[in-house]
Amino acid sequence: MKYAYTILYVEDVEKTITFYANAFGFQKKFLTPEADYGELISGETTIAFASYVLGNSNFKQGFKKITLTEKPNGIEMAFTSENIEADFEKAINAGAMEYESIIEKPWGQKVGYLRDINGFLIEICTPIKN
């Protein structure tokens, strides 16, 4: 078994991929001709996006859509950064919204939280030093 993908269901896959490229520097790996599914080059585990329409065809029981008007779900994606302040600001300039400002944890790691253009939680943090 190997963890391969995280798939986030969004209104606009192509717009979301463009946001992640501008905000975090991830490059587009794949986008279907219908633009209902796309992937980013994001390291060993692929971050992917699928449209609500595709989600509705996959999940006969339905699913909860993430919105910016409600509190985020209790799940996040975490990206490490050696230059957290600049990368945090770059993401905000690309359209992310600050959720919790950057703080330093007792163990020395800096951590801040954003919401992407769809409402998903993103943690930007410095690597944990061993």
Side-chain angles (χ1 to χ4, degrees), residues 60-80:
K60 305 303 182 222
Q61 297 181 62
F63 63 98
K64 182 181 180 218
K65 296 177 183 175
I66 302 297
T67 70
L68 287 167
T69 58
E70 296 179 16
K71 287 185 180 180
N73 284 347
I75 187 169
E76 66 183 61
M77 290 190 294
F79 305 142
T80 57

Side-chain angles (χ1 to χ4, degrees), residues 114-127:
L114 304 166
R115 291 187 79 183
D116 80 357
I117 60 171
N118 302 290
F120 293 102
L121 272 176
I122 298 173
E123 175 183 327
I124 307 291
C125 60
T126 56

Side-chain angles (χ1 to χ4, degrees), residues 8-128:
L8 306 175
Y9 288 85
V10 299
E11 183 70 37
D12 188 325
V13 173
E14 196 163 12
K15 181 179 176 182
T16 301
I17 286 176
T18 299
F19 164 76
Y20 276 78
N22 293 335
F24 307 110
F26 295 119
Q27 295 179 351
K28 177 175 67 175
K29 178 179 176 182
F30 173 76
L31 183 65
T32 62
E34 302 81 13
D36 62 352
Y37 177 82
E39 299 177 352
L40 296 171
I41 298 170
S42 56
E44 189 171 330
T45 301
T46 299
I47 301 170
F49 305 98
S51 69
Y52 288 148
V53 172
L54 186 57
N56 286 327
S57 72
N58 289 340
F59 308 119
K60 305 303 182 222
Q61 297 181 62
F63 63 98
K64 182 181 180 218
K65 296 177 183 175
I66 302 297
T67 70
L68 287 167
T69 58
E70 296 179 16
K71 287 185 180 180
N73 284 347
I75 187 169
E76 66 183 61
M77 290 190 294
F79 305 142
T80 57
S81 168
E82 295 290 345
N83 194 358
I84 187 171
E85 289 84 1
D87 288 337
F88 201 80
E89 188 66 29
K90 178 182 175 187
I92 290 170
N93 290 337
M97 291 147 284
E98 183 177 302
Y99 194 67
E100 296 287 342
S101 59
I102 298 170
I103 63 168
E104 187 167 330
K105 299 290 188 175
W107 53 90
Q109 182 186 37
K110 290 184 178 180
V111 178
Y113 296 91
L114 304 166
R115 291 187 79 183
D116 80 357
I117 60 171
N118 302 290
F120 293 102
L121 272 176
I122 298 173
E123 175 183 327
I124 307 291
C125 60
T126 56
I128 295 175

